[in-house]
Amino acid sequence: MNTDAGKARFAKATPEGSPYAANLPKVKNASHVVALCARTSVDDAHLSTLLAQEEKDGRFPTPEGKEMQAWTQKQVYLALGTILLGAATLGIDATPIEGFDPQALDQELALNEKGLKSVVMVALGYRSAEDFNAKLPKSRLGAETVITAL
Ligand SMILES: Cc1cc2nc3c(=O)[nH]c(=O)nc-3n(C[C@H](O)[C@H](O)[C@H](O)COP(=O)(O)O)c2cc1C
């Protein structure tokens, strides 16, 4: 969404006075806000479409039928990572936002009726000169801490 009206709809998931209010300015002041959604179920028709496409592309997957929600949400986080990297490559700032009311957004965008459920949002744009966070140093654990060589 890149219109004020669209962003106002997203803002219903981060309202004033709620635990998510700190994210309200991020939603309102971003250039674009994206909601990443997961399918609530994967029906036979969709599985057939996926399988046909992957077969056409030379792959023979065996997708897990169990724990579908966990699986679909993992796919969403792959897309999230790709958006964050892609935006950074283009010099666009991005903030992933988990701090919102997913039920409110699902209702506002009628996502359940589409077989979807919101998982995470991304606010995109260019940083404000007053953005204190942008001037803070990055904090990253060292490679020796997060990578174990075997
Ligand atoms: C899964 C996830 C959820 C996040 N949710 C929020 C959020 O709700 N609001 C927010 O301001 N930042 C959120 N962030 C962004 C972090 O606050 C941000 O990564 C942190 O400010 C450090 O910035 P850096 O990644 O540029 O070092 C989230 C980050 C991740 C990875």
Side-chain angles (χ1 to χ4, degrees), residues 23 26 95-99 133 138 140:
N23 287 323
K26 293 163 202 166
T95 300
I97 298 178
E98 280 186 326
N133 204 17
K138 294 286 178 195
R140 300 288 186 261

Side-chain angles (χ1 to χ4, degrees), residues 117-150:
K117 188 179 177 336
S118 59
V119 176
V120 61
M121 289 194 217
V122 186
L124 295 156
Y126 297 104
R127 70 192 66 176
S128 151
E130 285 103 59
D131 182 354
F132 75 96
N133 204 17
K135 297 183 190 85
L136 291 177
K138 294 286 178 195
S139 177
R140 300 288 186 261
L141 295 172
E144 69 289 353
T145 307
V146 295
I147 299 171
T148 304
L150 300 176

Side-chain angles (χ1 to χ4, degrees), residues 42-66:
V42 177
D43 60 18
D44 287 349
H46 182 64
L47 267 186
S48 300
T49 307
L50 283 182
L51 288 169
Q53 183 65 45
E54 296 203 10
E55 191 169 355
K56 191 166 148 262
D57 293 338
R59 297 172 60 89
F60 299 94
T62 52
E64 281 293 327
K66 282 183 280 178

Side-chain angles (χ1 to χ4, degrees), residues 43-127:
D43 60 18
D44 287 349
H46 182 64
L47 267 186
S48 300
T49 307
L50 283 182
L51 288 169
Q53 183 65 45
E54 296 203 10
E55 191 169 355
K56 191 166 148 262
D57 293 338
R59 297 172 60 89
F60 299 94
T62 52
E64 281 293 327
K66 282 183 280 178
E67 298 185 31
M68 192 54 75
Q69 194 157 336
W71 182 73
T72 57
Q73 294 197 3
K74 284 180 194 169
Q75 311 314 305
V76 169
Y77 279 85
L78 281 177
L80 172 66
T82 307
I83 290 177
L84 298 178
L85 281 174
T89 305
L90 296 168
I92 297 168
D93 294 318
T95 300
I97 298 178
E98 280 186 326
F100 67 100
D101 179 349
Q103 274 91 26
L105 194 63
D106 293 355
Q107 192 178 350
E108 174 61 28
L109 303 183
L111 293 175
N112 294 341
E113 291 154 36
K114 296 179 185 156
L116 297 172
K117 188 179 177 336
S118 59
V119 176
V120 61
M121 289 194 217
V122 186
L124 295 156
Y126 297 104
R127 70 192 66 176

